[in-house]
Amino acid sequence: MDKPKFGGQAVIEGVMFQSKDKMVTAIRRSNDDIEYFEMDRPEKAWVQKLKKIPVLRGNVAIIESSIYGMKHMEFATDRYERDPADDVKIEQEKQDANTARIVMSTIIVGILSFLVGKFLFTLIPVFIAEVFSGVVTSHVGQVFLESVFKLILLLVYIYAISMTPMIKRLFQYHGAEHKVINTFENGDELTVGNVQKHSRLHYRCGSSFILFTVLVGFVVYMFVPVDPFYVRILNRIALIPVVIGLSFEFLQFTNKVRNVPVLKWLGIPGLMLQLLTTKQPDGHQVEVAIKSFNKLLRSF
């Protein structure tokens, strides 16, 4: 019998792990205590049906993960650098505010932030490539140039933010998340020593998905016109859900064939990007990730 598949994400000073019906976050507080946040993943019938439709399910999964993930990130952020003695104040602040309005606003802001970010990373390279349209005139050349600029923009952005102390620590927890899942999937005992022996890279990572949107977009854009320019802009916007959906399918495929000698190389570009989006965690960070994962396992 195959082991269940788990996902996760790094949060401020902690890690969230999730199964198909449960999510658990563990964070380390300023007093060195570890605190947990748990929630069930609601199973809505219509969402489950959408998640069975190829290409469409990728968009559903991204939106769903963003909504639920933000709740865990909010939990961690609320407590970041706050004295645990102030927890009563945190709860009081939430009670004084309209909780439903805040949650809805957070969800809307999160979705809009994702869409704006996706639009920018999609359209800025288009405008840059158009600047060179007098030199690179062919359809293939323009799409290739656009994809190169998109990749450069992505790499520069990730590298720049990884230099900030907070994001660097977030990427260390990201590495700890991957190490724990790799240890579990390898059948090893979840100890700090064992976890540290495993790779901080993983085939199912969202970082790989981001890179695949660049590669898949290059292929998809070959089949649509780049002239006139306004048509190019419109089809890039219209094809965002298609590129997201196909990239999700490709990510799932690379995970399924990661142990096949030849096909495993399909996932290598995504793993290489994870060298930027993950950092080597220390023992304390790995400990938090292990506790989060064990807490999730106990819910089965």
Side-chain angles (χ1 to χ4, degrees):
M1 181 177 178
D2 292 338
K3 290 184 178 181
K5 292 181 180 179
F6 297 99
Q9 73 175 58
V11 298
I12 303 298
E13 291 304 320
V15 177
M16 179 271 282
F17 284 107
Q18 59 183 327
S19 63
K20 65 178 182 178
D21 51 16
K22 189 80 173 181
M23 305 176 79
V24 174
T25 287
I27 61 171
R28 189 179 293 279
R29 301 298 300 275
S30 59
N31 64 350
D32 210 38
D33 287 346
I34 293 177
E35 187 174 343
Y36 300 93
F37 172 61
E38 302 178 61
M39 63 174 284
D40 295 326
R41 291 183 61 151
E43 294 186 7
K44 298 180 180 179
W46 65 274
V47 173
Q48 298 307 313
K49 289 180 179 178
L50 290 178
K51 290 171 74 172
K52 295 179 180 180
I53 303 174
V55 181
L56 180 60
R57 61 190 172 194
N59 290 271
V60 175
I62 293 297
I63 294 174
E64 185 180 51
S65 295
S66 297
I67 292 173
Y68 295 148
M70 284 173 50
K71 294 181 180 179
H72 290 260
M73 184 62 82
E74 181 185 11
F75 164 78
T77 304
D78 282 346
R79 288 154 179 77
Y80 176 63
E81 291 188 337
R82 291 282 293 262
D83 189 325
D86 291 338
D87 284 359
V88 175
K89 294 181 181 179
I90 295 175
E91 295 305 318
Q92 187 61 49
E93 289 167 4
K94 290 184 178 296
Q95 291 178 11
D96 291 342
N98 187 324
T99 304
R101 186 181 71 240
I102 291 176
V103 171
M104 184 57 65
S105 299
T106 303
I107 291 173
I108 292 174
V109 169
I111 293 175
L112 288 177
S113 297
F114 170 78
L115 291 176
V116 169
K118 184 59 183 171
F119 274 35
L120 290 177
F121 274 99
T122 298
L123 297 182
I124 289 177
V126 175
F127 284 95
I128 298 176
E130 179 66 16
V131 173
F132 295 90
S133 60
V135 179
V136 181
T137 58
S138 68
H139 179 97
V140 174
Q142 274 291 300
V143 175
F144 177 76
L145 200 60
E146 177 185 334
S147 299
V148 168
F149 285 132
K150 187 180 298 183
L151 181 59
I152 292 173
L153 183 63
L154 174 65
L155 295 177
V156 169
Y157 173 75
I158 293 176
Y159 179 77
I161 64 172
S162 70
M163 293 296 99
T164 64
M166 180 181 291
I167 299 301
K168 182 179 180 181
R169 287 192 63 80
L170 189 69
F171 284 178
Q172 285 180 292
Y173 277 107
H174 189 192
E177 174 218 330
H178 286 181
K179 281 174 172 283
V180 166
I181 291 182
N182 282 327
T183 305
F184 172 79
E185 292 181 343
N186 196 59
D188 294 336
E189 183 183 359
L190 290 174
T191 64
V192 173
N194 283 344
V195 170
Q196 288 287 38
K197 295 176 184 177
H198 286 269
S199 173
R200 71 179 201 262
L201 314 180
H202 197 284
Y203 274 81
R204 288 199 306 274
C205 178
S207 302
S208 296
F209 166 78
I210 294 172
L211 180 63
F212 290 156
T213 62
V214 177
L215 303 179
V216 170
F218 172 73
V219 176
V220 171
Y221 299 154
M222 285 293 186
F223 297 94
V224 294
V226 296
D227 293 311
F229 187 61
Y230 77 88
V231 171
R232 184 175 184 176
I233 294 294
L234 291 176
N235 67 44
R236 294 301 185 268
I237 295 174
L239 288 171
I240 286 177
V242 176
V243 172
I244 288 176
L246 290 175
S247 300
F248 180 84
E249 299 298 330
F250 189 66
L251 177 67
Q252 299 303 307
F253 176 73
T254 59
N255 182 63
K256 290 179 181 178
V257 301
R258 62 179 174 171
N259 294 318
V260 179
V262 177
L263 296 179
K264 70 178 183 180
W265 294 100
L266 291 173
I268 297 299
L271 296 180
M272 294 301 98
L273 181 62
Q274 291 176 42
L275 293 175
L276 285 179
T277 62
T278 65
K279 301 293 183 183
Q280 181 65 28
D282 62 32
H284 284 78
Q285 292 166 322
V286 168
E287 180 190 9
V288 174
I290 291 174
K291 288 184 177 294
S292 177
F293 194 73
N294 281 336
K295 188 83 166 179
L296 180 65
L297 290 180
R298 287 194 291 271
S299 67
F300 276 74

